[in-house]
Each structure stands twice: as structure tokens, then as C-alpha cells.
Amino acid sequence: MKRKETTIINSEMKIEVQPPASQWRELIARPYSKNKILTSKIKSILDHVRKNGDSALIKYTAEFDKVNLDTLKVSPKEIENAAEEVSPELKKALLHAKKNIEIFHRAQNEKSIKIKTDIGVSCWRKSVAIEKVGLYIPGGNAPLFSTLLMLAIPAIAAGCKEIIVATPPSMEGKIHPAILYCCKILGLASIYKVGGAQAIAAMAFGTESIPAVYKIFGPGNQFVSTAKQLVSEEGVAIDLVAGPSELAVYADESCIPPFVAADLLSQAEHGADSQVMLVASSRRIAQEIIKNINDQKKNLPREHFIEQSLQHSRFVVLKNPDSAFALLNLYAPEHLIIASDHAMQLSEKVQNAGSVFIGNYSSESAGDYATGTNHTLPTSSYAKTHSGVSLDSFIKKITFQEVTPKGVLQIGHTVQILAEAEGLKAHAGAVTIRLNYLNKKS
Amino acid sequence: MKRKETTIINSEMKIEVQPPASQWRELIARPYSKNKILTSKIKSILDHVRKNGDSALIKYTAEFDKVNLDTLKVSPKEIENAAEEVSPELKKALLHAKKNIEIFHRAQNEKSIKIKTDIGVSCWRKSVAIEKVGLYIPGGNAPLFSTLLMLAIPAIAAGCKEIIVATPPSMEGKIHPAILYCCKILGLASIYKVGGAQAIAAMAFGTESIPAVYKIFGPGNQFVSTAKQLVSEEGVAIDLVAGPSELAVYADESCIPPFVAADLLSQAEHGADSQVMLVASSRRIAQEIIKNINDQKKNLPREHFIEQSLQHSRFVVLKNPDSAFALLNLYAPEHLIIASDHAMQLSEKVQNAGSVFIGNYSSESAGDYATGTNHTLPTSSYAKTHSGVSLDSFIKKITFQEVTPKGVLQIGHTVQILAEAEGLKAHAGAVTIRLNYLNKKS
């Protein structure tokens, strides 16, 4: 075990050189948010919406979004008019991203394959779309229309019959035109002006104007994510438990330090609780990347978030790539960039991550918008057990089996023996009655 | 809307003839269990195990399983000796079931396919096994060795590195030999004598002798399922929220009534809270099936469970198959038998079900043990959104993307436009720095 050295570059960013494995737990700890909103407050919002429907939604929208609405549903005219407010350049970019996301997600459709497991026994699985889904899209000053593309495209590719969208209105009672333009090009018509916990409640329980759905998708603040967790305990499915966004970068001697710095900053601008981790193959590389961060961050508008985020970020040096990836797998980051000319080979070592970016030219932001992969990904080390959103998130696989009379003769005795041994006489009986019938017939 | 008629066959089983859709919600209601165990009691078990590790497990095992253990881990010798206590006939049946389950689950392994979404942009998904999994197997007088096969076979096929088994000991401190024999033929060596909420706590948090795992699988009583729900809120993944078992049968004129009766009884014997639903195409068929139930049930040992279960079961007549399957899809049963010569064609109407049994010779019990499909399935209408356990349950899919310099030139501008429009300047910057670099080079 090597001695741990710590080099302090400036007051915020210190480099952990060759930390022993005993210290890794501490290195991978996620920054906890300090603004824990009381679950009881959110429970009361859910209860009010359940009891009072639309009138509760209108009340909460007045309280939280500062606007009095008459109708919650966006009109066809509003959708039509929005297109005029979106620049041709943004329209073109949205269509480009849409195309790539569609290509990747449509390729996830699986064919049903019948497997003959025994004489007279066939088994198969069939992917069937979840009938009713609700997509939550955060609004405010950074309207996440990219998230709408990421959720609606796989929902449509899966064949969900009813897709509804909830997103909070501005103080003028409007939805951002880029969001409505996306709905238009996707063919979505059920869009509701409601945000926060009240939107989750509406989609979970249904109101006069908003239909209840079976599964709710989408990111949001603590009101939204706590509300999702609470309705999931009542049987409504949810996509993922969302925590603050994360990026880990592995950088070796072949990385391009200004690129890595730009990637780490792009993650840090998400919010004060975003986390970035750099695992570099040498102290020199780590130092050079930090120098670039300090140079680049001056020119960025969301510097307040970036400074706070960098304070709880990690800069680690591990010379051996196996050690580096052991730490990264323990961390299980939402995003992992492998900034190296040997990225493809190194990617074989990845066990736990949401989405992986191969090589110096694959920035996280490319995947956030336009490579075609989904950007709704597991955070808070959920990547150890969970996948990001994909077409799979909008389907369930039903198993089927067909046992012919020959099949009953082939597996019947086995079923009888096993059922009897488990003390389940009637289970054995369901086979016995068929075996007797077949024996009588023959 | 037809008039609803009710025919009472005996005090327990009444037939609902052509119930209008407005009454369907009531028909599909699940029987609620009356033994709600206090969550606080289970929380205290979890806390004690977290704090005191093995000593808490030994204390709870003395309290609940009435046995004082020195060691929790099953010794290699115990596994070896168990084989001698299992009859050759049962061994043969276990190996037969194992073979079929392996064939079906191994076929679920998916190859990674690279998708070129744009010029210079490749995206793919890779299935990676969840590293550490824990399988809970209920014990007692009906040891569910079949569940061990159903959970361990996909775990092994997925490539999970660490697979541990927890199952409660008998009052003699032993594990049922058939369970140990299954472990032997599957190559599992980490088996622990611990049950109930304390077993779930041990696998979630780890103790001196039991390693913590990332995902916990397996059925159990309310102690077990509540404990699973509680640890899942702390970030440990779980397979499914388990409720009482259910079977629905669709039976038309081509069904064989004694077979259907035997199938309904096999479900009813599971427990007092099991639910069976029959949807028949005519009153005559329904009556004949009920007559057969009354005849057959006399000879069954678990009659107490069967009587209680039948009391809250449903017998419905819907003449139109589309209506019948609309009701069945709303019910979303764990198991669905289509007892008809036209079962394959009718199965096209299935939208929500865990596992479907095609035709008169496919009994549920065949699938419970030996067709090869998994018997760990979504209950309580979770089949609307969830699949049963499969190889998918033991993996997560990591997305990868590789953007070449050509790819940056192809999608870079789109990423810049979208990131700027979402107010994420540093996201745009991560692409701009690469575009500038490439433009300078050329």
C-alpha cells in the first residue's frame, strides 16, 4: 500500500494521489443535498390532488407558478402557434437530434423468439408496450425539451397508446415554444400545464382533465422526485429515482486536457449538487486538467453553480488502469468519459456506469443531446443495478408457454414429483388429471 | 348495456353474468390481507442487524425459528451430505426442470449491436451482470426449491460474480436437503441459515459472515416483502414487490372443464389470500367448471386455504371475447390460462399478464416447475408495467457512444444550438473546444 499524498492546487480542488482502497468509500461518497423538503408537505399535495382534482391543480399552480389558469390542457392552437416562435436553426437542430435518437431507440425493438425447451413444450417472451405513460418535463428558465425527445421517442417506438406530457407554465401561463414544437413534431397532443408534485399526483391518480397513467417518467426537483417515490409506493411505476447528475472522467497520457476540463465544467454547471470525478493516470495530467478548468471557468455564466459543484468534486491519481477502473466501478457514475486513445480497449473494464463516452472526441454533451443514446440515466450509484431509460422502460415482457399433449407426457411426471415434494398437491393434480385423460384416450 | 344477472351456485361461488364495464373495477379488486404487520417492528429488526450484525441474526433466529445457531453459513459437508437425503426420483425431476429453465433463460442473453446513428457516431448497449446478488428462499414445511432454480439459473446465466442464498433453518438448525441439493447442482456455495426480515437486512447491509449485495430477489411473507421494500428505499435494488399469487382463466366452449377446475384449485391452494378469476364465454361453461371444482376439492389436503381463497374469487361470464380480454387486461393477472382450442389466436389480445398458458394442456403448474419460463412474476396488477424475473433482472444495460472527429463535425453544431437554447453554456463549450481544435488542425 502506497502512502497517500495530497497536492492542493487551489483552495477548492485537491488531488488525491494513489489513495489506498481503504479510502475509496470516502472518495465515492455523493454530496448530500441540504434542502430536504419535508415528505409530509408533499404528501399533503398528493392528497389534495387526489381529493379535489383539477381545482387543487389550479390552486397549486397559482401558489407555485404564480399564474391563474382556466384550463390545464394546452390547446391545438397553442401547439400550432409555438412553431412560429422557434428559430429555424433550433428547429433544424431538434429534428437532427430526433433523427439520431429515433435510430438508436427503434433498433431496441426485439423480436419474439420461440424456444423449444422440451418435446412438446414451447416458451417465448413478447414485448408489449405499457398502455398509458406520463412524461414530466421540468420548465422554468431552462426548459428541458431535450428530455422530452429522450422520453417521448422511446415511448412512441415502444407503441404506448396513451402518452401525456406535464410541464409547468410560465408566469404568463405559457409553455416554452420549443417544448410545444417538440410535441408537434412527435405528434403528441395531450400536454398539460402543471408542474411539481401536483403534476405527479395528477398523472398518478387522474383528475377531471388529466388521465391517470400506469408509469411516470422524467426528472425534476425534490418535490417531483419525492412525489414520484411516494406514488410508486401506491403501485404507479416510475422510471428511476433521480439524484444529482454526475460525471467521471478517466484520463491518461493520451487525453487532451482542455477537452477534459471542458467536459468536467459542463457537468458542474448543472447545479450546486452536481458531482464530477477525475481519475487520472498521473499527477501531471491531473494538474494540467485543473489548470485548464481554472482558465475556462472564468468565461462561463453559471459560475456560481460551478464553484459549488467543484468544491465537492474529486481529483484522483491512480497509475494502474485496473485500480482506476476498480474505483470507477465502485463509484458507478451516471456518465463516464474515457479520455484516451485506448478508450475502446479500456471500456472492457467498465462494470458499472450509466452511459460511457469513448475517446477524446466523445463529449458528454454530445450524448446529452444528439448521439442518439438516452440521457435519462441512473445516478447515486444506481448504475450498479439499473439501466438508463430505453425502449425497455416503456414495455414489459410477457412470457408465454404452450404445452401440447406430447409435452404433458414429457414433463408431467417431473411436475408431479416437484409439486408433491413442495407439498402442493393440487399443483400435481392439475397435471395428473391431464395425464389420466391422455392415457384413457390412447 | 345488458342487465347483470347473478347465479348463486353455492354459498361461496357466484357467477357474474355479463357485468357492465362500470362494475369491472370492483371485480378486479384484490383481496387485502388482514395481517398487516407493523412496519415499525420490521424497521427495528433492520436497525438491529445493521448495528449488531451476526449477533442480531443469531438472536432473531432463536426467536423466530426456535433454534440457536453457532454459525450461519452452511458448511461444504452439509451440502455434500444433503444429496444422500434426496430421493433419486426427486433428483431426476430437479435436473429435468433445471435443464428446461436453463434453455429458456440462456436464450435471453443478448448480443451487443453497434448502431451507426450518424456520420462518425456509433452507439451501442452492453449487458453487464449485476456483480452481487442475494436470493431469498422461504423455508418451513413447503421449502421452495423450485424458486431457487428460478432465481439462481438466470443469475448464473447472466454472469453474476457473487450469488448468495439465504433461507431459514428448521428447528434442528438444518436446511431442507432438496434446497442444498439444488445449490450443489448449481455450484452455489454461499448459503446462509437465516430467514425473515433479518435475512433481507443481512443481505442489504452485510454482517461479519454475510456479504452485502446490490440486489435482492425472492418471495416471502409480509416480514420479508416489507423488509425488501424498506431496504429498496435505501438504494438496494429488489426484484418485485410481491403480493398474493393470482390466476385468471379464460375458458370458452372448447375448454375441458375438469382441467380448468384443477388449474383454479392449484392456484387456490397457495394460501388464503390467493385469488382466482374465471372468465367464461357462457354460463353453462362456468357452471360446469364450478361443479368440477366442488367435486375435485374434496380430495385435496389444503382445503382450508382453498375454501378461503375461493370466497374472494371471481366467476364471470362475458360472451364477447373482446370484452373478456378487456376485463382480463384490466385485471392484469400474474398467471393467465387461455383454455381454448383457439388459444394462440386469442393470445394476441393479451396486453397485461405475467405469464400466459396457451391451450387446454398448458397447466399453470407446468410453468411453475418445468416448462422453462420463470415463475417469479408480477402480482397485484403490476403486470401492467412490470415483467417477471428473467435474465434481464440480473443485468443492466450500459450505453456506449463513440464520436470520431468526423462525428464532432457532423453533430457538433446541433449540440451547440440545443445546449445554448437550454441555457447550458458549458455543454455547448465542450463541443466548441473540440470544433475549434479540429478547425485549427485542418
Side-chain angles (χ1 to χ4, degrees):
Chain A
M1 202 155 63
K2 300 240 178 99
R3 214 179 103 73
K4 179 186 143 189
E5 302 169 64
T6 299
T7 309
I8 295 178
I9 294 286
N10 70 17
S11 62
E12 289 125 18
M13 290 176 275
K14 60 178 188 184
I15 303 177
E16 311 281 342
V17 180
Q18 296 287 110
S22 60
Q23 285 169 15
W24 288 6
R25 289 247 155 242
E26 197 188 310
L27 285 176
I28 63 161
R30 264 65 176 181
Y32 282 102
S33 168
K34 285 152 210 160
N35 305 319
K36 283 255 167 199
I37 295 158
L38 283 173
T39 303
S40 67
K41 172 149 200 176
I42 295 170
K43 272 188 180 157
S44 116
I45 295 176
L46 299 186
D47 284 342
H48 274 84
V49 174
R50 197 199 312 250
K51 270 184 216 139
N52 305 313
D54 283 352
S55 74
L57 298 181
I58 285 166
K59 180 181 103 57
Y60 286 122
T61 305
E63 186 181 335
F64 294 118
D65 304 300
K66 312 288 177 210
V67 57
N68 288 300
L69 296 177
D70 291 327
T71 36
L72 294 160
K73 191 165 181 177
V74 174
S75 71
K77 211 179 149 144
E78 283 177 281
I79 299 174
E80 214 46 57
N81 292 349
E84 290 162 29
E85 294 177 56
V86 179
S87 73
E89 199 177 34
L90 181 53
K91 278 183 191 169
K92 202 178 146 196
L94 287 168
L95 289 167
H96 188 184
K98 175 174 174 280
K99 174 195 76 85
N100 289 358
I101 300 166
E102 281 173 349
I103 290 173
F104 189 58
H105 288 80
R106 284 178 183 165
Q108 291 165 10
N109 258 312
E110 279 170 47
K111 273 190 201 142
S112 186
I113 301 164
K114 258 193 206 182
I115 308 288
K116 201 179 157 186
T117 55
D118 212 330
I119 295 165
V121 183
S122 301
C123 302
W124 64 100
R125 294 195 297 169
K126 187 175 155 187
S127 298
V128 179
I130 297 172
E131 195 185 337
K132 306 170 184 193
V133 298
L135 316 181
Y136 183 78
I137 309 298
N141 45 15
L144 298 184
F145 45 77
S146 60
T147 298
L148 179 54
L149 296 179
M150 293 292 176
L151 298 178
I153 289 169
I156 294 163
C160 298
K161 277 183 208 155
E162 194 167 331
I163 303 170
I164 69 170
V165 176
T167 186
S170 69
M171 281 167 68
E172 293 78 39
K174 290 188 173 177
I175 304 298
H176 193 283
I179 289 183
L180 293 183
Y181 177 72
C182 286
C183 290
K184 187 181 143 80
I185 59 176
L186 292 164
L188 301 178
S190 299
I191 308 141
Y192 299 94
K193 296 175 184 175
V194 61
Q198 59 274 20
I200 303 304
M203 295 196 283
F205 312 131
T207 69
E208 298 89 324
S209 60
I210 303 183
V213 298
Y214 295 158
K215 189 167 182 178
I216 299 173
F217 294 78
N221 59 21
Q222 285 200 352
F223 275 91
V224 170
S225 57
T226 305
K228 279 172 68 183
Q229 185 119 40
L230 289 171
V231 300
S232 82
E233 289 166 21
E234 298 194 39
V236 179
I238 60 171
D239 52 350
L240 287 166
V241 180
S245 193
E246 308 149 359
L247 167 66
V249 180
Y250 174 76
D252 70 9
E253 301 296 314
S254 60
C255 81
I256 302 173
F259 290 6
V260 176
D263 292 330
L264 293 169
L265 286 167
S266 78
Q267 183 57 38
E269 84 174 331
H270 267 298
D273 54 4
S274 294
Q275 192 174 40
V276 301
M277 180 187 282
L278 171 72
V279 180
S281 63
S282 76
R283 189 199 305 231
R284 189 188 63 77
I285 289 288
Q287 283 170 336
E288 210 168 319
I289 290 165
I290 289 174
K291 191 185 149 292
N292 274 279
I293 289 176
N294 287 323
D295 289 351
Q296 290 179 26
K297 76 179 177 192
K298 292 170 206 150
N299 310 316
L300 291 168
R302 293 163 76 105
E303 210 189 329
H304 176 69
F305 280 161
I306 289 171
E307 287 296 345
Q308 282 188 281
S309 168
L310 288 176
Q311 270 172 36
H312 47 69
S313 293
R314 308 275 187 233
F315 298 85
V316 181
V317 174
L318 285 167
K319 292 186 172 123
N320 180 336
D322 285 333
S323 300
F325 280 87
L327 173 64
L328 290 164
N329 284 326
L330 197 66
Y331 182 51
E334 183 189 13
H335 306 94
L336 171 63
I337 295 176
I338 307 180
S340 163
D341 289 342
H342 318 289
M344 194 63 92
Q345 196 186 324
L346 289 164
S347 76
E348 292 294 319
K349 300 183 198 293
V350 178
Q351 293 294 320
N352 302 319
S355 196
V356 181
F357 300 78
I358 301 285
N360 289 313
Y361 289 90
S362 304
S363 65
E364 186 205 311
S365 61
D368 286 341
Y369 292 106
T371 59
T373 62
N374 209 288
H375 77 199
T376 309
L377 295 165
T379 55
S380 312
S381 90
Y382 275 99
K384 286 177 182 168
T385 46
H386 287 69
S387 316
V389 165
S390 71
L391 192 130
D392 302 348
S393 315
F394 294 89
I395 57 145
K396 69 270 176 184
K397 291 184 185 170
I398 304 176
T399 51
F400 291 79
Q401 53 245 287
E402 185 176 27
V403 185
T404 64
K406 265 194 189 162
V408 177
L409 296 171
Q410 175 69 12
I411 65 170
H413 187 59
T414 289
V415 174
Q416 286 174 314
I417 297 294
L418 295 175
E420 296 266 1
E422 284 192 349
L424 296 171
K425 197 94 179 170
H427 280 62
V431 168
T432 306
I433 200 166
R434 288 169 167 91
L435 281 172
N436 290 345
Y437 184 90
L438 289 170
N439 288 331
K440 242 184 263 170
K441 266 178 79 176
S442 66
Chain B
M1 201 155 63
K2 301 239 177 101
R3 212 179 103 73
K4 182 187 145 193
E5 301 170 64
T6 299
T7 307
I8 295 178
I9 294 288
N10 69 17
S11 62
E12 287 125 18
M13 289 176 275
K14 58 174 189 186
I15 303 177
E16 311 280 343
V17 179
Q18 296 286 110
S22 60
Q23 285 170 14
W24 288 7
R25 290 247 153 242
E26 198 188 307
L27 285 176
I28 64 162
R30 264 66 176 180
Y32 282 102
S33 168
K34 286 152 207 160
N35 304 321
K36 284 254 164 197
I37 294 158
L38 283 173
T39 304
S40 67
K41 171 148 200 178
I42 295 170
K43 272 189 181 158
S44 117
I45 296 176
L46 299 186
D47 283 342
H48 274 84
V49 174
R50 198 200 309 252
K51 271 184 215 137
N52 305 313
D54 283 350
S55 74
L57 299 182
I58 285 165
K59 179 181 106 49
Y60 286 121
T61 305
E63 187 182 334
F64 295 116
D65 304 299
K66 313 289 177 208
V67 56
N68 287 299
L69 297 177
D70 291 328
T71 37
L72 295 161
K73 191 166 182 177
V74 174
S75 71
K77 211 180 148 139
E78 282 176 281
I79 300 174
E80 214 48 56
N81 292 349
E84 290 162 32
E85 294 177 56
V86 179
S87 74
E89 200 178 34
L90 182 53
K91 278 183 189 166
K92 204 179 146 197
L94 288 167
L95 289 166
H96 188 184
K98 174 174 176 277
K99 175 198 76 89
N100 288 359
I101 301 165
E102 281 173 349
I103 289 172
F104 190 59
H105 288 81
R106 283 179 184 163
Q108 293 166 9
N109 258 312
E110 280 169 46
K111 273 190 200 142
S112 185
I113 301 164
K114 258 191 205 183
I115 308 288
K116 203 180 155 185
T117 54
D118 213 331
I119 296 164
V121 183
S122 301
C123 302
W124 64 101
R125 295 195 296 168
K126 187 174 155 187
S127 297
V128 178
I130 297 172
E131 196 186 336
K132 304 169 186 194
V133 298
L135 316 181
Y136 182 77
I137 309 298
N141 44 14
L144 299 183
F145 45 78
S146 60
T147 299
L148 179 55
L149 295 179
M150 292 292 176
L151 298 178
I153 289 169
I156 294 164
C160 298
K161 277 184 207 152
E162 194 168 331
I163 303 170
I164 70 169
V165 176
T167 187
S170 68
M171 281 167 70
E172 293 76 41
K174 289 189 173 174
I175 304 298
H176 193 283
I179 289 183
L180 293 183
Y181 177 72
C182 286
C183 290
K184 186 182 145 80
I185 60 177
L186 293 163
L188 301 178
S190 299
I191 307 141
Y192 300 94
K193 296 175 185 175
V194 63
Q198 60 274 21
I200 303 305
M203 295 196 283
F205 312 132
T207 68
E208 299 89 324
S209 60
I210 302 182
V213 299
Y214 296 156
K215 189 167 184 178
I216 298 173
F217 294 78
N221 58 20
Q222 286 200 351
F223 274 90
V224 169
S225 57
T226 305
K228 279 171 70 184
Q229 186 119 40
L230 289 170
V231 301
S232 81
E233 289 167 21
E234 298 193 41
V236 179
I238 60 171
D239 51 351
L240 287 166
V241 180
S245 193
E246 308 149 359
L247 167 66
V249 179
Y250 174 76
D252 69 10
E253 301 296 315
S254 60
C255 81
I256 300 173
F259 291 7
V260 176
D263 291 331
L264 293 170
L265 286 167
S266 79
Q267 184 57 38
E269 83 173 333
H270 267 301
D273 55 3
S274 293
Q275 192 173 40
V276 302
M277 180 187 282
L278 171 72
V279 180
S281 62
S282 76
R283 190 200 303 231
R284 190 189 61 79
I285 289 287
Q287 283 171 335
E288 209 168 321
I289 289 165
I290 289 175
K291 192 185 148 291
N292 275 279
I293 289 176
N294 287 323
D295 290 349
Q296 290 180 27
K297 77 180 178 192
K298 293 170 203 149
N299 310 316
L300 290 169
R302 292 162 78 105
E303 211 189 328
H304 177 69
F305 280 162
I306 290 171
E307 286 297 345
Q308 282 189 280
S309 169
L310 288 177
Q311 271 172 36
H312 47 68
S313 292
R314 307 275 188 233
F315 297 86
V316 182
V317 174
L318 284 166
K319 291 185 174 123
N320 180 336
D322 284 335
S323 299
F325 280 88
L327 173 64
L328 290 164
N329 284 326
L330 197 66
Y331 183 51
E334 184 189 14
H335 307 94
L336 172 63
I337 295 177
I338 307 181
S340 163
D341 287 344
H342 320 288
M344 195 63 95
Q345 197 185 324
L346 289 164
S347 76
E348 291 295 320
K349 301 184 197 291
V350 178
Q351 293 294 318
N352 301 319
S355 196
V356 181
F357 300 77
I358 301 285
N360 288 314
Y361 289 91
S362 303
S363 64
E364 185 204 313
S365 61
D368 286 342
Y369 292 106
T371 59
T373 62
N374 209 288
H375 76 198
T376 310
L377 296 164
T379 54
S380 313
S381 90
Y382 275 99
K384 286 178 180 166
T385 47
H386 287 70
S387 316
V389 165
S390 70
L391 192 130
D392 302 349
S393 315
F394 294 89
I395 57 145
K396 67 269 175 183
K397 290 182 185 171
I398 304 176
T399 51
F400 291 80
Q401 54 245 286
E402 185 175 27
V403 185
T404 64
K406 265 192 187 162
V408 177
L409 297 170
Q410 175 69 11
I411 66 170
H413 187 60
T414 289
V415 174
Q416 287 175 313
I417 297 292
L418 295 175
E420 297 266 2
E422 285 193 348
L424 296 172
K425 197 94 181 169
H427 279 61
V431 167
T432 307
I433 200 167
R434 286 169 168 92
L435 281 172
N436 290 345
Y437 184 90
L438 289 169
N439 289 331
K440 240 185 261 169
K441 266 177 79 177
S442 65

